[in-house]
Amino acid sequence: MLWACVLLPQLALDGVLRRQPPTEAPLVLVSGPAQARVVHAANRSARAAGLYRGQRLTAAQALLSQFAMVEHDPEDEARWHRLLAAWAYRYSGEVGLLAHALVLEVSRSLNLFGPWPRFESLLRDDLKELGFRHRIALAPTPHAAYVLTGVHDGLAVMTPDTLRRALLPIPIARARLPDDAAQALPSMGIRTLGQLFALPRAGLQRRFGSELVAQLDRLAGDEPSPMENYRPPDTFEQRMEWTHEIEHVEALVFPLRRLTGDLSAYLAGRDGGVQRFELELEHRSGPPTRVTVGMLSAGRDAALLFECARGRMERLELSQPVVAMRLLARDLPPFVPAGRDLFDTRPTNAVPLEQLRERLRARLGEASIQHLRRTLDPRPELAQTTTAGVGATHAISLPRPTWLLHTPRPLRGPAPTILAGPERIETGWWDGGDLRRDYYVVRTAQGQCAWVFCAPGEQGGWMLHGWFA
Amino acid sequence: MGQVVALSSLFEARQVWKGRAVSLPDSSQPTGWPALDEALPSGGWPEHAMTEILLPADGVGELQLVLPTLARLTREARSVMLITPPYLPYVPGWEARGVMMSHVDIVQAGERDVLWAAEQCLRSGSCAAVLAWPLQADDRALRRLQVAADTGKALAFVFRDRRHAAQASPAALRLELESEPSLQVRIRKCRGGQPPAGMLPLAAGWS
């Protein structure tokens, strides 16, 4: 077994920062009771000004006159954590959640994603795209990987022997041991894991209880790590809220790109697609504005989802400023990737046909693209339909035009020359839409071939119904 | 008057160059009308380019001109887009002429979006042919379509009224249909050669 650990040192802060386009303005997360507010996390420019985690807010305000403040929300942080677990599920079937970290079993994934250096760069690219800072390490046990990420970013330990050697110099304070042991051991002169491993187990167990010994065994791989496997949920829901109000649709484009990117990452993990999702724009008061984004077929490409959603969003008139946006996807049908023919003659940079259709639909309206198919109905008006289904395949040997008028209209001008006919169509008794007509092919004075009909038995009062164009 | 020089001596001295028409590579897109193929310099539709078809009236036989091509393309499972056709394409009629309607998308766009939609389809590279019926199209808009057809390597067919014949057009091929006394086509402009004089009769068929 090989476990990769992805440590997310600034999960809460990254979760806040990714709501808006990257800026250099100082920003801090604050937490704690109202009387004793403390800095929970600070971004780079705030840290450069001397702000740090755990600092009193009053002290921070004395150091830096202006910075954006966001209330730290543990629930929000947990949501980002779960989202990343859903993303990691794409790479491994065994994903565990640890505090500020994810662990993935990767020994089997390596067959699919290539050797570890390539796999690692895949993970890093994805996380960078999603906007989360991270540290990654690989070790034969999940806890060892967890400990190693905290010490050395990018370390990869493949075998249990090298693992033991890699663990020896790690300071006790960073070995993620139970709290009481982590505090007491350095004062006893035990400063590294190597020294701790050398101590007699029975004594350690008497002094610190069985939890410490079990933890050491898990680190070295002598005992399996109890871990609950992550299972992705069946629906996707992600919400972003801002401290300020957004009045223009253009300002929603960046968060929208994030949300659709998250949806795409989640879908890739689940190997699913989405055909329909909802965007809810929440306002200070009143019901939220709902935008439903539907697609012709299930898709999961981040660019496609974003483009569809943006097309719908751009047509929106905001009546009130937006304070939060939520993306809901309940219906997640299986995703069937479009296959391309080896002998496909289209240019390689071609936009897939589905994406083209979505783009047209987004601008021209939902019903702007139609496919026509034949039905079994003999009435010319009902002989074709735009609804999906299996078309009729029987052959028609009678003359049929290529253009059909939406509604028949009188044929004006001099009397036409009859080329063929009559063909009587007398049907439709079953649904009240009876018709009784004699159809002729005629040639008009202008030289057009027309499909016309008249009352049975008469040869006049022509109604134009189609062109043999 | 200066000295009189025989033309042949100038050619022999290679002081004067004579331009020759560059022969076009043969088109892989036959029109399906042998007489028309023969008259066109490339032996078919100009590839990756726009063809403008000028009509005296709707329904004179403009579809007959392109239906053999559409039938061939759709049978190869390639996509064809119709952008705001003036009437409903009547499926039994199209299928009787060999077109597979499952590969034909009909796009309904407003008057101002026709050219945008046509350009998107052409540029995407995933459509084999795009047929458009723009009501307002100036030289600039048509040039965009011509460039888009070249980018997306698609056949573009633009159907316009005959009164636009006097306007200059960036189309690689301009055809004008005549319905009197019978259906015939005149080549007004073709890339890579002189347009042949006279009319080419098309077998006007309604069945």
Side-chain angles (χ1 to χ4, degrees), chain A residues 346 350-351 353 357 359 363 368 370-371 374 380 384 400-404 443 445-448 467-469, chain B residues 58 61-63 79 87-91 93-95 104-108 113 116 120 124 126 179-181 206:
Chain A
R346 293 181 303 159
V351 177
L353 197 57
R357 288 186 182 135
R359 188 183 294 168
R363 167 143 167 189
S368 61
Q370 300 164 348
H371 285 266
R374 232 162 76 199
Q384 58 184 17
R400 285 290 178 266
T402 44
W403 285 142
L404 190 74
R443 189 178 162 78
Q446 284 167 305
Q448 298 148 298
W467 296 113
F468 288 85
Chain B
D58 284 334
E62 68 271 24
L63 287 180
S79 216
Y87 304 99
L88 273 180
Y90 193 48
V91 178
W94 285 57
E95 285 184 349
V104 177
D105 284 35
I106 298 149
V107 181
Q108 299 294 353
D113 284 327
W116 175 83
Q120 292 295 321
S124 73
S126 52
S179 55
E180 285 293 324
W206 43 263

Side-chain angles (χ1 to χ4, degrees), chain A residues 51-67:
Chain A
L51 273 58
Y52 57 88
R53 185 189 159 98
Q55 195 178 29
R56 296 289 290 264
L57 187 59
T58 44
Q61 277 162 338
L63 279 171
L64 194 60
S65 58
Q66 279 205 330
F67 52 82

Side-chain angles (χ1 to χ4, degrees), chain B residues 82-203:
Chain B
L82 308 182
I83 321 271
T84 54
Y87 304 99
L88 273 180
Y90 193 48
V91 178
W94 285 57
E95 285 184 349
R97 287 156 184 85
V99 180
M100 291 179 58
M101 289 306 277
S102 54
H103 294 291
V104 177
D105 284 35
I106 298 149
V107 181
Q108 299 294 353
E111 204 174 298
R112 297 168 59 193
D113 284 327
V114 177
L115 291 165
W116 175 83
E119 189 183 336
Q120 292 295 321
C121 294
L122 285 170
R123 202 175 282 281
S124 73
S126 52
C127 310
V130 177
L131 284 68
W133 284 262
L135 289 178
Q136 314 162 330
D138 53 2
D139 178 58
R140 202 183 145 88
L142 292 178
R143 193 172 298 280
R144 287 189 71 118
L145 292 189
Q146 166 67 36
V147 171
D150 190 39
T151 314
K153 307 210 181 326
L155 292 177
F157 296 98
V158 174
F159 297 87
R160 300 176 78 198
D161 192 86
R162 187 164 60 178
R163 65 191 153 86
H164 298 292
Q167 279 179 19
S169 165
L173 175 65
R174 275 189 117 184
L175 300 177
E176 186 178 342
L177 283 185
E178 293 271 352
S179 55
E180 285 293 324
S182 64
L183 182 64
Q184 42 193 348
V185 61
R186 181 205 302 275
I187 302 176
R188 282 206 160 255
K189 170 190 173 185
C190 56
R191 188 188 278 172
Q194 286 291 322
M199 312 285 278
L200 297 166
L202 293 183

